Amino acid sequence: MTRSISLPAPLPRMFFIAIAAMLVISTMSITALAQDATPEAGGATSDSPFFSQEEYEAQLAQRDIEPEGPEDQPWIQAIEPEYADTSEYATEGPWDVCFSNAAVNNPWRAVGWTTMQAQVEVLQEEGVIGEFTVFDAEGDDNQQISDIESLLNEDCDILIVSPNTTAALTPAVETACEQLPVIVFDRGVETDCPVTFIHPIGGYAFGADGAEFLVEQVPEGGNVLALRILPGVDVLETRWAAADIAFQEAGINVIGEEFTEGDRANVQTIVTDYIAQYGDDIDGVWMDAGQDAVAVIEAFETLGLDVPPLTGEDQLDFLNAWADQDLTAVAPTYPNFQWRTPILAATMILAGEEVPSEWVLPQPLITEETRDQYLAEDVDMPPLHYALCGCEEFAEYPERWGGEAVE
Amino acid sequence: MSATAGNQSTRTMPVDSSGQRLGRAILGGAPIFVVLAILLVWISIENPNFTSPPIFLLFLRQAAPLMILAAGQLFVIISGEFDLSVGALVTTVVIVAARLIDGDPARTWPVIALLFVGGIVVGLANGLITTRLGVPSFITTLGTMLMLNGATLWWIGGTPRGDLPDNFRQWGRFGIDDFPWLGQLPYSVIILFVVTALGVWLLHGSTFGKQLFATGGNPRAAYLSGVNVPWVRTMAFVISAVSAVITGILLGGFTGVSPSAGDGLEFEAISAVVLGGAVLGGGRGALIPAIAGAMTLAALFTLLNLLGLPQPFRYTVQGVIIIAALGIAAFRTRKSR
Amino acid sequence: MSALAPTRPNIATLRTGIGGSSTAQIYMILILVLVVTWGLILATGGNLNITNTLVRSVALGIVAVGQTFVILGGSLDLSVAYQVSVTAVVASVLMDGNPNNIWFAVPAVLVIGAAIGAINGLVITAFHINAFIATLGTSLILRGALNATFDNYAGEVPDEFRALGYDGLLGIPYSVILLLAIVALGWFILRYTRFGHHLYAVGESDETARLSGVRSGRVLIVAHVLCSLTATLTGLFIISRLSAGAPWVGPDGDYDLESIAAVVLGGAALAGGRGGVLGTFAGVLILALLDNAFNQLQINTFLKDVVRGAIIIAAVAAYALRQRQDVR
C-alpha cells in the first residue's frame, strides 16, 4: 500500500487548487468585507461593536435605584418608570391576546413560557383574557416575520413579541404597531413604536455584577477564565463588554475568552484543557450565562482541585452546588419572572391604565447572604429550573414546573 | 449514495486470513493515525502536562463518548447505510434518564435497562423501515431524528425534569481511584476499551462481520451467497442505537442533565468514521481507525483551544481535514489500482 | 450546457414518465393535506392565510428546486444552509443600504454561489468523494469562515430591494412570483433540455449514461452549480425580508435537511434518476400547509417535528411500495 511519494499527476493538483479556491472564496472574500461590516467602536473602554457607553453607565446606575411597585411582586415593579398614556387603547374585555414567541429552545425560555401560560390561564378564568393565540418561530427570524404577519390577520386586541433577534424583527414590529398596540419583551427592537418594552436592567449590569465580585476575590494580576455562550447575541455581548471593562480596570489577566455554544460537554472540555495548562493558577471563572456553571464546578472537582470563585446564575443546580459545597460565588440574574409582565401589561393597556413606556424590571444579584431565600426547602424543583421564576403563587406550582412538594 | 460511491463499493471483497484481517483492523486507515499523532504531539508541545497519564486520561474520558458513537456508526456505514438519528437518541437518553430516575439511585439500574431496550427498539425501527419498507436510511433516520427530538421535548415541556443521581453519573464522571501510576482510571475509558474489543471482534472476527462487509460491498452477491441482507443491515442499526445509548449514559454522566447533549453528534460521528477510512456507500471500513478518527476530532478541539484560535476555525479546519483526507485516499486508491 | 435540444426518446425520457406517476401521487397527497388542514382550520374558525403560507414556502421552495437537481443526479448538497448565509452576509454588506449597489451585489453573490457549486461538483466528481461528506466538509468550512468573521447582522439592504420580500403585483407577492418562475424554469430545464435528460440518465446509472456518451462529471458539476445558485437566490430573498444578513440565517432555517426532506417528500429517489421539480414544489407546499395548520390549531411546536418526521417516512415508504409494485 505504502509507496514512495512520487509527486502527483494533474489530479491531486486540481484537488489542492479546489481546496485552496474554496478557502479563498470563503475566508478571504468574507474577511475582506468584514472591515466594512464592523461599525466604529462606541466607547473608549470597550471596542466591542455592541458597546454603548451611555447605556452602560445608565445600567450600572440603575442597579442602585429602588424600583417602584410592590416588593413581593417584582414582575410589576419598575425602575425609574416614565408612564405612557394608553387611554386610546381602552376597550371592553375579555381581550384576545396574541403572542409571537421566538422559540422555546432552552430551559430559560421553557420555564418562562410555562409561567406565562399559567398567568394567562388565571386571567382567562377571571374572564379578563379571551383567546390566547401563540405562534412559535422555532428560532428563525424569517419565520417570526411571517408569524407576525399571520397574527395581524387574527382577531388580536394586542400583540406581544419576544423577538428572536433585534435588528431583523424591527420592520415587522413597526408594521404591527400601525394596526394594534404592541408589547415587546426580553430582547428589544430598534423602534419606539411599541407601547412598552419590558426587560430587566440588562446585560451590562449582569456582566458587571459578576465581574465586580471576581475583582474583589481575585488578587491583582490574577487569572480569570471567561466562558461565553455565543458571539453576536446582543444581550450576551453587553455582559462581556461590561465584564471586560471591570477586569481591565482592576488589572486582572483574562487567560481565555472561550465560546461554549451552551454545551456542557464543551464547558467541561474547555475548563479541563485550561486546568491542564494552568493547573491551580486559575483564580476565577466568569460566565456570561450561568446555565452551565455546574459543569465548571464539576471540572475542578473531578481533578480534585478547589473550585475558584466563580459566577453563575439563578439556576437551581448551581445554587444547590454553591450551598452544598460552600463555594465562593455570586449569581447575577436575568429574571425569568419577566414572562409574567407582558401579560399583565396587556391587560393594563387594554384597560387604559398607564404603563411605563420602557418597563425596566429589577435584576437582583444573588449573593451568599441572599442565596438561601431562593432555595425553598419545601419543594424539590428540577436542576435546570430558575429560582426567579416568579411562579410560586400559581395553583399548579410546583408540579407544572416539573417539581414536587417535599414533606 | 452518489454514483461515485457505487464505483468504489463494487471493488472486490478482501479474502484473506483472520490474522491479516485483524492487521487491517488496526492499520487499515493508516493516514488517520499520522494525523492523530501530529495533533497529539502538537498538543504536548503547547502543553507539556498533556503527556502526564492523568491528564491524558482526562482527555480520553471526554473523547470516549464520541469514540463509542463512531464505533456504532461504523457498522451502519459499512452496511451501506447512514444513521442520522444517533444525536437525537443521545439527547433522548439523557432526558429520559433524568425524568424517570428523578434523582433516586434505586431506579438507576432498571432505567438503564429500559434505555437499552428503548435504544434497541429505535434501532429495529430504523432497520426495519429501511429494509422492509424500502425507505433510504438517510430519510428513515432523518425522520427518527425529528420524531425523537420532538417527542422528548414535548414530553418534558421544553426543559429537562428530574435529576441524575451519582450512581448514574459515575460512569461518565468518575473512575477507579488510586489506580497505580495512572491516578484515577475513568470508567468511561474502561467502557471504551470494552466496546472497542467487542467491536473489533464483531466486525473483524465474527461471521456477522463478514456478512456485514459482504452486504455493504455488494448486496446482491451477498444475498446470492446466502446472507440475510435485511437482517444484517437491521442489526447494524441496532448496534448503532446501542452505542448511542452508551454514549448518552456517559455524556449524561459527564455533563449532567442538558437538553442539548447530543446536538450535532450524528455528523461528528459520521465525519469520524469517514476520517478513519470507511467509505460511505458501504463495504469498507475498520474499527480502530474509526475510533482514531473520533479521537482526532476531539484532539482538534483541544488543540485549537490551546492555540487560542477563534473557535469557529475549528469547523473550517475540520472541513478541510475531511475533504483533504478523502481526496488523498481517493488518490491513493487510484494509484494502487 | 443546458442548451435546448429536441426531445428524443431515450432512457431518460422513459424515466421521466415513471417520475410522472409519483408526481400524480404527491399531488393527491397535497390535495389530501390541503383538504384536511383547511377543513380543520375552517371548522375551528381560523384563517387560511393563503398568501402568507405561500410566502413562507418561498425560502425553502427556491433552494429545494436546486436540491432536486443534485438529488436527481444521485448527489446531494448539505452545504446549502451556509451558502444561504454566505449570500445573505456578502450581499447585504455589498449593498450597504445603497440602491445603486444592487446591480453589482447580486451578480457578485451569484458568481460566489456558482463557484461554491462548481467546487462541490468538482470535489465530488473528480475525486470520487461521496457527496454527503464532501458537502458536509464545504458546509463546515463556510461555517467556520462565516462565524470567525461576522458575529451579527452586517450591512444593510436598501428599501428598493426589500420590495422583493414585502411588495407584490396585483396582490401576488413578488417573492411568490419568483418562486413560481424558478419552479417553472427548473421544470423546463429538466423536461426540455439535453442537460435535463442527461441528468436523469446520470442519476439512473452513471455507468450506462457514460457508455451512451454522457459526460456525467460535467452534468453533475452543472447540477451543483444550479443548486448553489438557488441557495444564493434564497439568501437574497431572505435578506429582502430581514433587511440585512447574519451568519445564522441559513442554519436557523434548517435549509439543508429540510430541502432534502422536501425533495424526497416530492417523490424523488435519493439514489437519483427519479423525481422532478413539480413534485418537490408539492413537497414544499405540504410542509408549509402543515406549519400553517399547526399554528392555526395552536398545537404544541414540539409535536410539529414528530408529525413532520412521520409524514416524511410514511410518504417515502408509500413511494417505495408503489415502485416495487410497478416493477412487478
mmCIF file with all atom_site columns, all heavy atoms in Angstrom, chain A residues 5 54 106 147 157 164 213 232 250-252 283 326 399:
data_model
loop_
_atom_site.group_PDB
_atom_site.id
_atom_site.type_symbol
_atom_site.label_atom_id
_atom_site.label_alt_id
_atom_site.label_comp_id
_atom_site.label_asym_id
_atom_site.label_entity_id
_atom_site.label_seq_id
_atom_site.pdbx_PDB_ins_code
_atom_site.Cartn_x
_atom_site.Cartn_y
_atom_site.Cartn_z
_atom_site.occupancy
_atom_site.B_iso_or_equiv
_atom_site.pdbx_formal_charge
_atom_site.auth_seq_id
_atom_site.auth_comp_id
_atom_site.auth_asym_id
_atom_site.auth_atom_id
_atom_site.pdbx_PDB_model_num
ATOM 1   N N   . ILE A 1 5   ? 6.503   8.481  -2.365 1.00 0.00 ? 5   ILE A N   1
ATOM 2   C CA  . ILE A 1 5   ? 5.596   9.541  -2.786 1.00 0.00 ? 5   ILE A CA  1
ATOM 3   C C   . ILE A 1 5   ? 6.163   10.226 -4.030 1.00 0.00 ? 5   ILE A C   1
ATOM 4   O O   . ILE A 1 5   ? 7.030   11.073 -3.944 1.00 0.00 ? 5   ILE A O   1
ATOM 5   C CB  . ILE A 1 5   ? 5.380   10.549 -1.644 1.00 0.00 ? 5   ILE A CB  1
ATOM 6   C CG1 . ILE A 1 5   ? 4.779   9.811  -0.454 1.00 0.00 ? 5   ILE A CG1 1
ATOM 7   C CG2 . ILE A 1 5   ? 4.485   11.689 -2.074 1.00 0.00 ? 5   ILE A CG2 1
ATOM 8   C CD1 . ILE A 1 5   ? 4.886   10.538 0.842  1.00 0.00 ? 5   ILE A CD1 1
ATOM 9   N N   . GLU A 1 54  ? -23.175 55.196 26.986 1.00 0.00 ? 54  GLU A N   1
ATOM 10  C CA  . GLU A 1 54  ? -24.309 55.814 27.670 1.00 0.00 ? 54  GLU A CA  1
ATOM 11  C C   . GLU A 1 54  ? -25.187 54.749 28.338 1.00 0.00 ? 54  GLU A C   1
ATOM 12  O O   . GLU A 1 54  ? -25.516 54.832 29.520 1.00 0.00 ? 54  GLU A O   1
ATOM 13  C CB  . GLU A 1 54  ? -25.115 56.570 26.612 1.00 0.00 ? 54  GLU A CB  1
ATOM 14  C CG  . GLU A 1 54  ? -26.204 57.444 27.154 1.00 0.00 ? 54  GLU A CG  1
ATOM 15  C CD  . GLU A 1 54  ? -27.073 57.967 26.005 1.00 0.00 ? 54  GLU A CD  1
ATOM 16  O OE1 . GLU A 1 54  ? -26.746 57.672 24.824 1.00 0.00 ? 54  GLU A OE1 1
ATOM 17  O OE2 . GLU A 1 54  ? -28.067 58.612 26.280 1.00 0.00 ? 54  GLU A OE2 1
ATOM 18  N N   . ASN A 1 106 ? -34.563 26.676 25.034 1.00 0.00 ? 106 ASN A N   1
ATOM 19  C CA  . ASN A 1 106 ? -33.629 26.460 26.140 1.00 0.00 ? 106 ASN A CA  1
ATOM 20  C C   . ASN A 1 106 ? -34.405 26.511 27.451 1.00 0.00 ? 106 ASN A C   1
ATOM 21  O O   . ASN A 1 106 ? -35.563 26.938 27.472 1.00 0.00 ? 106 ASN A O   1
ATOM 22  C CB  . ASN A 1 106 ? -32.484 27.492 26.110 1.00 0.00 ? 106 ASN A CB  1
ATOM 23  C CG  . ASN A 1 106 ? -32.990 28.913 26.227 1.00 0.00 ? 106 ASN A CG  1
ATOM 24  O OD1 . ASN A 1 106 ? -33.856 29.214 27.053 1.00 0.00 ? 106 ASN A OD1 1
ATOM 25  N ND2 . ASN A 1 106 ? -32.466 29.803 25.399 1.00 0.00 ? 106 ASN A ND2 1
ATOM 26  N N   . ASP A 1 147 ? -44.724 34.965 11.023 1.00 0.00 ? 147 ASP A N   1
ATOM 27  C CA  . ASP A 1 147 ? -45.645 34.750 12.146 1.00 0.00 ? 147 ASP A CA  1
ATOM 28  C C   . ASP A 1 147 ? -46.359 36.043 12.519 1.00 0.00 ? 147 ASP A C   1
ATOM 29  O O   . ASP A 1 147 ? -47.567 36.061 12.760 1.00 0.00 ? 147 ASP A O   1
ATOM 30  C CB  . ASP A 1 147 ? -44.885 34.233 13.378 1.00 0.00 ? 147 ASP A CB  1
ATOM 31  C CG  . ASP A 1 147 ? -44.544 32.755 13.263 1.00 0.00 ? 147 ASP A CG  1
ATOM 32  O OD1 . ASP A 1 147 ? -45.065 32.099 12.342 1.00 0.00 ? 147 ASP A OD1 1
ATOM 33  O OD2 . ASP A 1 147 ? -43.765 32.265 14.100 1.00 0.00 ? 147 ASP A OD2 1
ATOM 34  N N   . ASP A 1 157 ? -56.433 41.743 20.062 1.00 0.00 ? 157 ASP A N   1
ATOM 35  C CA  . ASP A 1 157 ? -56.589 43.083 20.619 1.00 0.00 ? 157 ASP A CA  1
ATOM 36  C C   . ASP A 1 157 ? -55.241 43.697 20.921 1.00 0.00 ? 157 ASP A C   1
ATOM 37  O O   . ASP A 1 157 ? -55.094 44.912 20.983 1.00 0.00 ? 157 ASP A O   1
ATOM 38  C CB  . ASP A 1 157 ? -57.437 43.027 21.894 1.00 0.00 ? 157 ASP A CB  1
ATOM 39  C CG  . ASP A 1 157 ? -58.871 42.640 21.584 1.00 0.00 ? 157 ASP A CG  1
ATOM 40  O OD1 . ASP A 1 157 ? -59.470 43.288 20.693 1.00 0.00 ? 157 ASP A OD1 1
ATOM 41  O OD2 . ASP A 1 157 ? -59.375 41.686 22.195 1.00 0.00 ? 157 ASP A OD2 1
ATOM 42  N N   . ASN A 1 164 ? -36.697 37.254 18.130 1.00 0.00 ? 164 ASN A N   1
ATOM 43  C CA  . ASN A 1 164 ? -35.591 36.312 18.028 1.00 0.00 ? 164 ASN A CA  1
ATOM 44  C C   . ASN A 1 164 ? -34.260 37.060 17.924 1.00 0.00 ? 164 ASN A C   1
ATOM 45  O O   . ASN A 1 164 ? -33.292 36.684 18.569 1.00 0.00 ? 164 ASN A O   1
ATOM 46  C CB  . ASN A 1 164 ? -35.802 35.407 16.806 1.00 0.00 ? 164 ASN A CB  1
ATOM 47  C CG  . ASN A 1 164 ? -34.845 34.247 16.760 1.00 0.00 ? 164 ASN A CG  1
ATOM 48  O OD1 . ASN A 1 164 ? -34.712 33.518 17.736 1.00 0.00 ? 164 ASN A OD1 1
ATOM 49  N ND2 . ASN A 1 164 ? -34.147 34.082 15.665 1.00 0.00 ? 164 ASN A ND2 1
ATOM 50  N N   . PHE A 1 213 ? -17.584 41.203 41.510 1.00 0.00 ? 213 PHE A N   1
ATOM 51  C CA  . PHE A 1 213 ? -17.374 40.233 42.582 1.00 0.00 ? 213 PHE A CA  1
ATOM 52  C C   . PHE A 1 213 ? -16.018 39.549 42.414 1.00 0.00 ? 213 PHE A C   1
ATOM 53  O O   . PHE A 1 213 ? -15.249 39.407 43.362 1.00 0.00 ? 213 PHE A O   1
ATOM 54  C CB  . PHE A 1 213 ? -18.504 39.198 42.563 1.00 0.00 ? 213 PHE A CB  1
ATOM 55  C CG  . PHE A 1 213 ? -18.268 38.006 43.435 1.00 0.00 ? 213 PHE A CG  1
ATOM 56  C CD1 . PHE A 1 213 ? -18.440 38.088 44.807 1.00 0.00 ? 213 PHE A CD1 1
ATOM 57  C CD2 . PHE A 1 213 ? -17.852 36.795 42.883 1.00 0.00 ? 213 PHE A CD2 1
ATOM 58  C CE1 . PHE A 1 213 ? -18.218 36.981 45.609 1.00 0.00 ? 213 PHE A CE1 1
ATOM 59  C CE2 . PHE A 1 213 ? -17.622 35.685 43.687 1.00 0.00 ? 213 PHE A CE2 1
ATOM 60  C CZ  . PHE A 1 213 ? -17.800 35.788 45.057 1.00 0.00 ? 213 PHE A CZ  1
ATOM 61  N N   . GLY A 1 232 ? -22.130 37.485 19.132 1.00 0.00 ? 232 GLY A N   1
ATOM 62  C CA  . GLY A 1 232 ? -23.129 38.091 18.264 1.00 0.00 ? 232 GLY A CA  1
ATOM 63  C C   . GLY A 1 232 ? -24.510 38.235 18.839 1.00 0.00 ? 232 GLY A C   1
ATOM 64  O O   . GLY A 1 232 ? -25.378 38.817 18.211 1.00 0.00 ? 232 GLY A O   1
ATOM 65  N N   . ALA A 1 250 ? -9.210  46.631 36.802 1.00 0.00 ? 250 ALA A N   1
ATOM 66  C CA  . ALA A 1 250 ? -8.628  46.052 38.013 1.00 0.00 ? 250 ALA A CA  1
ATOM 67  C C   . ALA A 1 250 ? -7.308  45.337 37.738 1.00 0.00 ? 250 ALA A C   1
ATOM 68  O O   . ALA A 1 250 ? -6.721  44.759 38.651 1.00 0.00 ? 250 ALA A O   1
ATOM 69  C CB  . ALA A 1 250 ? -9.631  45.088 38.642 1.00 0.00 ? 250 ALA A CB  1
ATOM 70  N N   . GLY A 1 251 ? -6.888  45.341 36.493 1.00 0.00 ? 251 GLY A N   1
ATOM 71  C CA  . GLY A 1 251 ? -5.627  44.692 36.167 1.00 0.00 ? 251 GLY A CA  1
ATOM 72  C C   . GLY A 1 251 ? -5.679  43.179 36.305 1.00 0.00 ? 251 GLY A C   1
ATOM 73  O O   . GLY A 1 251 ? -4.713  42.533 36.690 1.00 0.00 ? 251 GLY A O   1
ATOM 74  N N   . ILE A 1 252 ? -6.835  42.629 35.997 1.00 0.00 ? 252 ILE A N   1
ATOM 75  C CA  . ILE A 1 252 ? -6.970  41.175 36.045 1.00 0.00 ? 252 ILE A CA  1
ATOM 76  C C   . ILE A 1 252 ? -6.601  40.605 34.688 1.00 0.00 ? 252 ILE A C   1
ATOM 77  O O   . ILE A 1 252 ? -6.904  41.193 33.653 1.00 0.00 ? 252 ILE A O   1
ATOM 78  C CB  . ILE A 1 252 ? -8.421  40.800 36.406 1.00 0.00 ? 252 ILE A CB  1
ATOM 79  C CG1 . ILE A 1 252 ? -8.711  41.363 37.787 1.00 0.00 ? 252 ILE A CG1 1
ATOM 80  C CG2 . ILE A 1 252 ? -8.672  39.312 36.271 1.00 0.00 ? 252 ILE A CG2 1
ATOM 81  C CD1 . ILE A 1 252 ? -9.179  40.434 38.807 1.00 0.00 ? 252 ILE A CD1 1
ATOM 82  N N   . ASP A 1 283 ? -7.666  31.733 38.963 1.00 0.00 ? 283 ASP A N   1
ATOM 83  C CA  . ASP A 1 283 ? -8.138  32.367 40.199 1.00 0.00 ? 283 ASP A CA  1
ATOM 84  C C   . ASP A 1 283 ? -9.621  32.700 40.184 1.00 0.00 ? 283 ASP A C   1
ATOM 85  O O   . ASP A 1 283 ? -10.180 33.116 41.195 1.00 0.00 ? 283 ASP A O   1
ATOM 86  C CB  . ASP A 1 283 ? -7.346  33.662 40.438 1.00 0.00 ? 283 ASP A CB  1
ATOM 87  C CG  . ASP A 1 283 ? -5.855  33.385 40.502 1.00 0.00 ? 283 ASP A CG  1
ATOM 88  O OD1 . ASP A 1 283 ? -5.473  32.458 41.231 1.00 0.00 ? 283 ASP A OD1 1
ATOM 89  O OD2 . ASP A 1 283 ? -5.085  34.063 39.795 1.00 0.00 ? 283 ASP A OD2 1
ATOM 90  N N   . ASP A 1 326 ? -20.280 25.034 49.719 1.00 0.00 ? 326 ASP A N   1
ATOM 91  C CA  . ASP A 1 326 ? -19.773 26.228 50.355 1.00 0.00 ? 326 ASP A CA  1
ATOM 92  C C   . ASP A 1 326 ? -18.760 26.944 49.458 1.00 0.00 ? 326 ASP A C   1
ATOM 93  O O   . ASP A 1 326 ? -17.646 27.249 49.870 1.00 0.00 ? 326 ASP A O   1
ATOM 94  C CB  . ASP A 1 326 ? -19.138 25.852 51.698 1.00 0.00 ? 326 ASP A CB  1
ATOM 95  C CG  . ASP A 1 326 ? -19.125 27.057 52.617 1.00 0.00 ? 326 ASP A CG  1
ATOM 96  O OD1 . ASP A 1 326 ? -19.860 28.022 52.316 1.00 0.00 ? 326 ASP A OD1 1
ATOM 97  O OD2 . ASP A 1 326 ? -18.374 27.025 53.608 1.00 0.00 ? 326 ASP A OD2 1
ATOM 98  N N   . GLU A 1 399 ? -45.816 21.328 40.519 1.00 0.00 ? 399 GLU A N   1
ATOM 99  C CA  . GLU A 1 399 ? -45.855 20.228 39.545 1.00 0.00 ? 399 GLU A CA  1
ATOM 100 C C   . GLU A 1 399 ? -45.708 20.705 38.114 1.00 0.00 ? 399 GLU A C   1
ATOM 101 O O   . GLU A 1 399 ? -45.000 20.107 37.313 1.00 0.00 ? 399 GLU A O   1
ATOM 102 C CB  . GLU A 1 399 ? -47.160 19.431 39.689 1.00 0.00 ? 399 GLU A CB  1
ATOM 103 C CG  . GLU A 1 399 ? -47.234 18.552 40.939 1.00 0.00 ? 399 GLU A CG  1
ATOM 104 C CD  . GLU A 1 399 ? -47.545 19.344 42.197 1.00 0.00 ? 399 GLU A CD  1
ATOM 105 O OE1 . GLU A 1 399 ? -47.980 20.524 42.063 1.00 0.00 ? 399 GLU A OE1 1
ATOM 106 O OE2 . GLU A 1 399 ? -47.347 18.830 43.304 1.00 0.00 ? 399 GLU A OE2 1
#
